[in-house]
Amino acid sequence: MSKDVNVAILGATGAVGKELLELLAERDFPLKELKLLASPRSAGSKINFQGREITVEAVSDKSFAGVDIVLASAGGSISKTWAKIAAKAGAVVIDNSSAFRGDDDVPLIVPEINPEAAEGHQGIIANPNCTTILMGVAIYPLHQIQPIKRIVVSTYQSASGAGARAMEEAKVQARDILDGKQPQAEIFPYPIAFNLFPHNSPLNEQGYCEEEMKMVNETRKIFNAPDLKITATCVRVPILRAHSEAVNLEFEQPFDVDRARELIAAAPGAKLVEDWQNNYFPMPMDATGRDPVLVGRIRQDISSQNNLELWLCGDQIRKGAALNAIQIAELLLEKNLLTGANSTVSV
Amino acid sequence: MSKDVNVAILGATGAVGKELLELLAERDFPLKELKLLASPRSAGSKINFQGREITVEAVSDKSFAGVDIVLASAGGSISKTWAKIAAKAGAVVIDNSSAFRGDDDVPLIVPEINPEAAEGHQGIIANPNCTTILMGVAIYPLHQIQPIKRIVVSTYQSASGAGARAMEEAKVQARDILDGKQPQAEIFPYPIAFNLFPHNSPLNEQGYCEEEMKMVNETRKIFNAPDLKITATCVRVPILRAHSEAVNLEFEQPFDVDRARELIAAAPGAKLVEDWQNNYFPMPMDATGRDPVLVGRIRQDISSQNNLELWLCGDQIRKGAALNAIQIAELLLEKNLLTGANSTVSV
C-alpha cells in the first residue's frame, strides 16, 4: 500500500457516492488524484473533498485514462455501459451494482471472507449486495468451523437501500402522517413511514424477489459453497440506513453456542453486542454510521438441535456498500493487484 | 345468541379497552348492561358508549354481581387479583393477560381454531398473545390438512403491543428525530421511532424472551399439538398497531403451494392478499383497523422441499386482542356456556 493511486468515483452524488468520499478521507486512502464522474445530467456540480472543491465531470470514453481504480455506484445500467471501457483503459472497476455479480470471470468479494478471489480479477470486481455482505460477515466465522447446511433469514431493511431520495421520502412521509396528512409514495411503491412491506424488487416465478435471490446466489459465490441452501424473506422497514436480519442457521451437527459467540467476537468486521442482563442487542440506531456488523442474540434454536439463531444489524451504506468497496480497493493495493499504468502487474 | 347479557370491561381506558367498546358497538353485541371497571386511580372518568356516558367504577368485590361476562384487559396483576373473584361471582372472565394462559384448567381460545375448548371452561378463558393469534389464524388451515412439524418465525411487532402510551411515544419520538432532537424513551427501553430492537420482554436461560415463548407454548396449546417445534425471533418495529410475521413452515411431506393458497383463502378470519404482478402483499397500513389476518407471499421454500414460506399482517389491537376476546364472548352465547345467574348452565 505504498504508492498513491488515481481513483475515479462514478456516481459521486448518490448516497453511496457520498459515503465513498467520506471513507476515502476518513481512512486516509493513498490518493494521488480523485476524479468525480456522473451522468451528463449531474455533471458540473461541485463537491467538497478535504477542503478542495472538485467538479463532477460527465463520464466519457476519455474519463478513465490514467485511472487506477473506479468505484462505481451509479446503478446497473451505467455500470454495464462503462465498466468494460474503464477496465480496458487499465483501471480496476469495483462495481457496486448487481450487473456483473453473477459473472464467472468477475470476483464477488467481501474482504473478510474471500480476499483471495481478488487475485483472479480481469479488471472488474463486484461489490456484493448489502444484505448479503452483512449476513456474510456475521456467519462466515461459523461456516469456516462447520459448514452451514441451510439458512432461513428474514430481513428488516432500511430506506437507504433504495438511495438517498428514498431516505428523504421516508422522512417526509413520517411528518405527513404525524400531521394527519396522507403520505405520498414516489420512490417506493407504498408509503414506508409507519409501514413496512416485502422488498419491492421484481419477483421470479417461484415468488422470490431479486433481493432474496441475491442473498441466495451471492452468499453461495462468496462462500464458494454452491450447495448451501438458503431461503430469505426480505422486508423494507421504516428505518433510515441500517439493515437488520434474523438468521436461523442449520449445521450438520450441533454448534456450541458459546463457541459461536467466541468466533463472532473474534471475527474481522463483526462486533459481538450482547447484554443479556439488560436485553440489549444490536439495533439500527447503534449500527448507523459505524463500520462493524453488530451481531448478537446468538441462541441455540430450541426447535432443532443442529440450529443456531442470531440477530445482526449493519450500516447499509457503509459496510453494506461503500466501506466494502473501499476495503476491496485497499486489498488491491495491498496485494499489488492493480492492472493499469500505475501498477506493477499487467493483465 | 338470544338473550342479552351483562358485560363488564376491566381496564376500559387502555388501547384494548377502547377497542373492546368499539367492537361491542360495531358488532351489535347483545348487551343488557355494560359496566366499566378500572383501578381506583382511573375510576371516575367518563366514557361515551353509543351516545350514553358511562362512568368508570373502581373495581371491588361487589363489582361482579349479576355480571355474565368480564372482558379483562388491565394487565396480569389485575387479572390475578380479580379474575377468580369474578368467576366465583358467576361471571365468565375472558382474560387478555398472560396470567392464566398456561393453566391446565383454563382454555386458551382462538375461535377459528379451537372453539370446542370453551366447553370445558371453569369461569376463566384466556385470550392468547397477539402474535400467536395472528400466526395461528394464518397457519391452522394448513396444519389441519397436514400437521406442521416445525415453525421458524420472525416478527415485526407494532408499538401498540406495549399499549396506548407506547404508540404515543413512537409518534413523539418520530417528530423529535425529524426535528433534529434527541428522542426520549420512557415506555420502551430504547427509542422505537426510526429504530427497531428485539422484543424487550424478559429473557429465559436459553435466551428466548417471554414473547417468543408465548408463541411457542400458546401455539402448542391452541393447536393441541404439544410436540410442535417452534423457534421465534420477536422484534419491535416502528409501526403503530399492526404486527407482521415471516413464517417458515416445515411439514412431513411437500405441501402444494396452490392448495395452501386455496385453504388460506377459504379460512375463517384470514384473507389472502397476493398480487404477484404488482408485488402487492399484506402491509400494516392495510391491516390496521381491519378484522382479518392478511396472508400472502405463500411460496414453496426453495431451500427445502417440505417447507412453505408465508407472510402475514394483522391488527394487533383488533384480532390480536379485542376482537378475539369479543369472538370468545360470542361463542359463549352461541353455545350457551355462561355460568352465572343469567345462564341456563351451572358449574
Side-chain angles (χ1 to χ4, degrees), chain B residues 157-172:
Chain B
Q157 299 187 220
S158 61
S160 60
R165 286 173 63 214
M167 294 166 76
E168 191 51 36
E169 177 164 293
K171 289 192 268 187
V172 170

Side-chain angles (χ1 to χ4, degrees), chain A residues 76-127:
Chain A
S77 64
I78 304 281
S79 287
K80 275 183 187 149
T81 307
W82 297 106
K84 285 182 183 167
I85 295 170
K88 203 165 272 180
V92 183
V93 180
I94 300 168
D95 182 34
N96 198 49
S97 83
S98 59
F100 304 104
R101 289 181 193 152
D103 293 7
D104 283 341
D105 56 357
V106 174
L108 183 68
I109 297 180
V110 178
E112 292 88 343
I113 301 175
N114 62 338
E116 70 288 350
E119 281 155 30
H121 86 78
Q122 294 176 41
I124 302 175
I125 293 176
N127 202 36

Side-chain angles (χ1 to χ4, degrees), chain A residues 150 207 212 231 297 303 309, chain B residues 150 207 212 231 297 303 309:
Chain A
R150 177 168 172 252
E212 290 160 351
T231 181
R297 281 209 87 195
S303 76
E309 292 267 23
Chain B
R150 178 169 171 252
E212 291 159 351
T231 181
R297 280 209 90 195
S303 76
E309 292 266 23

